[in-house]
Amino acid sequence: MILDYLLCFFAIITISNGGTVYKDSSDCPGNLKWNSNGITIMGKDMLNFPSGLFIEPKTQILYVTDMSNNYVLKRYPNGKIQVAAGQADHSGGATPDKLSGPKGVYADENENVYIADWSNQRIQLWTKDAKSGSTVAGNGTRGNALNEFSYPSNVILDSKKNILAVDFQNQRITQWPPTYDPKTTTGTIVAGGRGGGLSPTQLDGPIGLYYDEPQDIFYISNEEAHTVIQWNRDSYGEKNIYAGIPGRPGSTSVQLQSPQGITLDKYRNLYVTDCQNNRIQMFCPDSVFGITIAGTGQTGSGANELYFPRDVALDADMNLYVTDTYNQRIQKFERIQ
């Protein structure tokens, strides 16, 4: 374990000595910059503990999970908001028409919504305007068998509609087929599954997941290791610490503290929700130094502040959206360059 840590730390020092150092987001590919003050587009009147965030690329519909209200909301580009999954009265449960602490969310262009139903140990699919959902991964019981989850934290789909689920306490990412049979369907481990740890070949409290499918690479945030892993899916492919220092939480530009949601833009800049540092960090390609693009690093409720944010997303115009969880709001930081 100590050797793994030293190797990881040495790799970080080596990259920082040889790589490009970006001092501002506008120095990075894309020449991007955002207003430091956010605009609240969803607030306390409908959110209690917002967590997962997803913007569907074609429709530009924004989806947000609320773990306390036990539902998923969707916001159309015209500002209309409605319940996409769960119950409007916030009632939670394990029946098909309810959710319990939904965390991660993904949707397709047809407004089919996939939810990491955290406390129910399952991935649920709610089709457009449905009154209830159906299980598409997991059997609803907590465990480490390949048909089980131990708190699923996120979900995405690949181009073949395979389901990729983040299995938080089992320290793994599992892939599930598009069709589900509760008696026979199991997941396949595609990342992690080697116990929690600080090595690049291990996960430790995985939360965020982004799949760069053309490169066949996962980006995975590890809440408990305070890192983001770059995981080449080839069995002989490289697994690297891409951001953060393993086991060393902190607030410097090379550190993270309990990272959550992540995303990657078309320029290959990585965005990390640095939860306990109350900021969004941008890591330009192959740079270990993060640039703060939203939040001040201190808790607060001002327009330029965040309070334990949980997820981040970009729209087609590269405006930045953040689930500002403890402020019970979704903040939009408009692109200005």
Side-chain angles (χ1 to χ4, degrees):
M1 184 70 72
I2 294 175
L3 178 60
D4 286 335
Y5 168 74
L6 290 174
L7 288 172
C8 293
F9 189 76
F10 177 76
I12 289 169
I13 296 300
T14 300
I15 294 171
S16 65
N17 285 337
T20 303
V21 177
Y22 302 92
K23 295 183 178 180
D24 191 85
S25 63
S26 59
D27 297 332
C28 301
N31 189 32
L32 302 167
K33 203 171 186 65
W34 293 267
N35 196 318
S36 60
N37 290 323
I39 301 167
T40 301
I41 62 167
M42 299 171 71
K44 295 180 179 180
D45 58 326
M46 61 189 71
L47 297 173
N48 191 9
F49 198 91
S51 183
L53 187 65
F54 181 77
I55 297 176
E56 201 286 314
K58 293 183 179 180
T59 63
Q60 290 294 287
I61 298 172
L62 181 149
Y63 297 83
V64 58
T65 63
D66 192 314
M67 296 189 73
S68 292
N69 284 340
N70 300 304
Y71 63 21
V72 179
L73 297 178
K74 59 182 174 182
R75 183 183 187 272
Y76 291 90
N78 64 7
K80 177 184 175 182
I81 298 170
Q82 66 184 61
V83 176
Q87 297 301 310
D89 65 0
H90 311 158
S91 59
T95 54
D97 63 328
K98 294 182 179 179
L99 303 169
S100 183
K103 193 163 177 64
V105 63
Y106 176 92
D108 64 23
E109 62 185 290
N110 298 312
E111 299 181 45
N112 298 309
V113 185
Y114 296 80
I115 305 118
D117 196 4
W118 172 266
S119 297
N120 281 328
Q121 318 298 339
R122 64 189 184 184
I123 305 298
Q124 292 293 93
L125 165 63
W126 285 60
T127 58
K128 182 180 179 180
D129 299 326
K131 302 301 181 184
S132 64
S134 59
T135 300
V136 292
N139 63 10
T141 60
R142 182 185 172 199
N144 60 12
L146 287 176
N147 64 341
E148 296 175 317
F149 292 114
S150 185
Y151 298 106
S153 57
N154 219 330
V155 59
I156 61 174
L157 266 63
D158 67 14
S159 61
K160 297 179 180 178
K161 299 189 183 301
N162 294 306
I163 297 165
L164 297 161
V166 182
D167 193 357
F168 180 76
Q169 287 194 343
N170 283 326
Q171 318 292 355
R172 65 192 185 189
I173 312 297
T174 52
Q175 178 174 305
W176 302 70
T179 56
Y180 177 80
D181 183 328
K183 296 181 180 179
T184 61
T185 301
T186 61
T188 302
I189 297 172
V190 292
R194 303 179 181 181
L198 303 180
S199 162
T201 61
Q202 293 176 296
L203 304 181
D204 198 2
I207 294 280
L209 176 64
Y210 183 91
Y211 183 29
D212 182 358
E213 193 163 357
Q215 301 296 321
D216 205 22
I217 289 173
F218 289 139
Y219 292 83
I220 308 163
S221 65
N222 286 307
E223 180 182 44
E224 295 174 4
H226 311 287
T227 59
V228 176
I229 299 285
Q230 187 186 55
W231 187 288
N232 188 311
R233 290 190 64 181
D234 187 285
S235 57
Y236 295 102
E238 292 185 349
K239 281 73 176 170
N240 300 310
I241 306 295
Y242 197 79
I245 300 175
R248 294 287 299 275
S251 58
T252 68
S253 63
V254 297
Q255 291 175 297
L256 301 168
Q257 188 157 354
S258 300
Q260 304 279 313
I262 56 176
T263 195
L264 197 76
D265 69 21
K266 62 184 177 181
Y267 305 106
R268 309 190 68 77
N269 300 306
L270 177 72
Y271 302 79
V272 182
T273 312
D274 194 5
C275 179
Q276 292 193 25
N277 281 325
N278 304 292
R279 64 188 184 183
I280 304 299
Q281 293 293 90
M282 178 181 181
F283 290 85
C284 307
D286 301 317
S287 175
V288 299
F289 297 94
I291 299 166
T292 301
I293 57 171
T296 63
Q298 304 296 320
T299 60
S301 59
N304 67 333
E305 296 173 312
L306 301 170
Y307 192 178
F308 292 168
R310 296 299 174 104
D311 212 347
V312 62
L314 295 163
D315 68 15
D317 296 320
M318 300 291 288
N319 297 306
L320 186 79
Y321 298 78
V322 180
T323 47
D324 191 7
T325 302
Y326 277 49
N327 282 322
Q328 301 168 305
R329 63 188 184 183
I330 304 299
Q331 293 292 89
K332 175 183 179 181
F333 296 86
E334 293 184 326
R335 179 185 175 185
I336 56 177
Q337 179 176 306

